[in-house]
Amino acid sequence: MALSTGDRPLRVVLAEDSVLLREGLVRLLEEAGTTVVAAVGDGPSLVRAVTEQRPDVAVVDVRMPPTHTDEGLRAAVEVRRAVPGTAVLVLSQYVEVAYADELLADGRGGAGYLLKDRVTDLDQLLAALADVVAGGTVLDPQVVAQLFARRRADDPVRRLTAREREVLGLIAEGHSNTAIARHLVVTPGAVEKHTQRIFAKLGLAPDEDRNSRVMATLAYLRG
């Protein structure tokens, strides 16, 4: 699977503090046809690289120097503010649900959060990159699963039926209606009806489908 934007390769900035993992990702991404315009090992360097290089997407580790807590995530949020058109794909060893909320808070999409151990092959990573560059959202299934344990009593997601919550969870993972239909063994038309009911119950205007999907995911996270 090769990635491109128009007639040129996808331009990537990579932020990962492990030298071995960083170099390995650079090789894999370039072999897949992307152009890695910068590969850095800390948050400030990520912000500088994105500001200077204006890539299509930043691939970011959450925990980087000096404290190895949330430097990468905070840098990713800063990148989104400084260069709004930049897509961000976070790769982490840990489930940090609040971080996904921060990345999606502007409602524009173009953000993803995957667990490193669950990225089992290059095609999976490239598919996630393609989705976020196109303005979609991609959340690891383990992140989605943990969200249900954090629901507020007044959470609008509680208004959804069990099947609608299942569909919303798959939307949050970045699946298209066609993929959801295959997963649930139903027709795409049935999925479309579910998504429209979800948008209505969450108070989302059925204007532009991708934006509604992003906002539905955000509502899901904020519960």
Side-chain angles (χ1 to χ4, degrees), residues 131 136-139 169-176 213 217:
D131 282 345
T137 59
V138 180
L139 297 176
L170 293 167
I171 288 173
E173 291 174 20
H175 297 292
S176 67
R213 294 170 79 88
T217 300

Side-chain angles (χ1 to χ4, degrees), residues 132-167:
V132 298
V133 169
T137 59
V138 180
L139 297 176
D140 190 280
Q142 285 193 13
V143 176
V144 172
Q146 290 200 19
L147 293 172
F148 279 123
R150 297 165 54 97
R151 308 252 65 92
R152 301 190 314 260
D154 61 346
D155 176 12
V157 174
R158 288 182 179 272
R159 303 171 194 157
L160 306 182
T161 66
R163 176 47 66 94
E164 288 165 355
R165 287 197 299 271
E166 187 175 13
V167 171

